[in-house]
């Protein structure tokens, strides 16, 4: 079993791929190249974010401070010609600070709606677990319905729209755990590790040569894809097929999580549809016309690692969600 978000190579493409789809895949490969001009050693996370955009899903980025989570999102949005806004989540942040609010206009003598930072293509929710659940829940409607309701009026968000939220896995003082309902809205949970020695040397070499992470244009990052091309890629990825055996395989994997003695809460039906969408996006990126068990297995960890709750005794023994999911994959029969 391989996890595509660790930077594993794509499977060999199928010969039936269309020319238009091939051009779109080539353009998205160019996006990875452009992001690589600013971010070193996070190829798997870049692929994960592209898969999330193709599958219309949100991403939870987990890693210690300083592993380029913010720079990664900014570079990706720049390479895709998408608008991005960043919100630093703090204990005193209010829901209206994210979604927007009604303000009094002295010129008209009435109230007008002032859009919040959620009205963007990629919302970078920095340290989302540092704000209370009341503010965290302000994102629920935006993440699920792609709209914001204020004073009884619903306002559509731009398309595409995804939330890329970050959280620190080490420091828990003054943080608020994300509720299960919100965790379930994230398509992927990507972990960003401290880079290897050679990668870190390359990071220092670039900084020594004058790299400025706040000036992406000077770093040579150029837009290679727009919203229209991304929409076409989404439609093409959604058309990827899935035969009955593979669908049953996804369900069998989910049911195995619910029966596991180490798991208190297994994967929900929303989790199975999320895995299907992510597998379709990965299969399309790999040049396949339909998903295979390999695509399902490659996406299983990032899609499900945040959707299962472990029993206290499993946590005390140091068993992690990834290890349990890998064990389940080995136990469930793979369709031939």
């Amino acid at each position: 079993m391989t996890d595509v978000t660790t930077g594993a190579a794509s499977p060999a493409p199928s010969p039936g791929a269309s020319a238009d789809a091939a051009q779109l895949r080539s353009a998205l490969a160019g996006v990875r190249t452009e992001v690589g001009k600013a971010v070193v050693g996070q190829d798997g996370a870049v692929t994960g974010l592209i898969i999330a955009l193709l599958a219309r899903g949100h991403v939870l980025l987990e890693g210690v401070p300083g592993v380029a989570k913010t720079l990664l999102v900014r570079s990706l949005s720049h390479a895709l010609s998408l608008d991005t806004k960043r919100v630093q989540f703090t204990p005193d942040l209010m829901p209206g600070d994210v979604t927007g609010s009604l303000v009094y206009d002295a010129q008209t003598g009435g109230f007008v709606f002032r859009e919040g930072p959620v009205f963007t293509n990629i919302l970078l929710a920095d340290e989302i677990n540092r704000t209370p659940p009341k503010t965290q829940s302000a994102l629920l409607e935006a993440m699920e319905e792609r709209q914001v309701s204020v004073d009884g009026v619903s306002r559509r968000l731009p398309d595409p729209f995804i939330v890329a939220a970050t959280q620190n896995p080490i420091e828990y003082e003054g943080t608020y755990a994300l509720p299960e309902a919100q965790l379930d809205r994230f398509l992927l949970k990507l972990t960003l590790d401290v880079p290897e020695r050679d990668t870190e040397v390359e990071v220092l070499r670039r900084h020594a040569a004058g790299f400025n992470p706040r000036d992406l244009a000077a770093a040579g990052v150029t837009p290679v894809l727009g919203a229209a091309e991304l929409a076409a890629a989404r439609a093409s990825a959604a058309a990827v097929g899935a035969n009955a055996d593979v669908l049953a395989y996804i369900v069998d994997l989910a049911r195995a999580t619910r029966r596991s003695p180490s798991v208190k809460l297994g994967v929900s039906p929303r989790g199975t549809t999320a895995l299907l969408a992510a597998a379709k996006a990965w299969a399309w990126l790999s040049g396949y016309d339909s998903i295979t068990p390999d695509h399902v297995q490659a996406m299983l960890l990032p899609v499900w690692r945040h959707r299962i709750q472990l029993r206290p005794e499993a946590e005390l023994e140091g068993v992690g969600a990834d290890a349990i999911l890998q064990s389940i994959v080995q136990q469930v029969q793979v369709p031939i």
Side-chain angles (χ1 to χ4, degrees), residues 222-251:
T222 57
V224 295
L225 202 69
E229 292 85 357
L230 181 59
R234 282 176 161 183
S236 185
V240 169
N243 64 47
D245 288 343
V246 176
L247 296 179
Y249 180 54
I250 294 174
V251 171

Side-chain angles (χ1 to χ4, degrees), residues 94-101 113-119 138-139 142 148 150:
M94 299 298 292
D97 298 331
V98 178
T99 61
S101 56
F113 179 71
R114 180 174 295 170
E115 293 182 350
V118 75
F119 286 85
L139 283 175
V148 168
V150 177

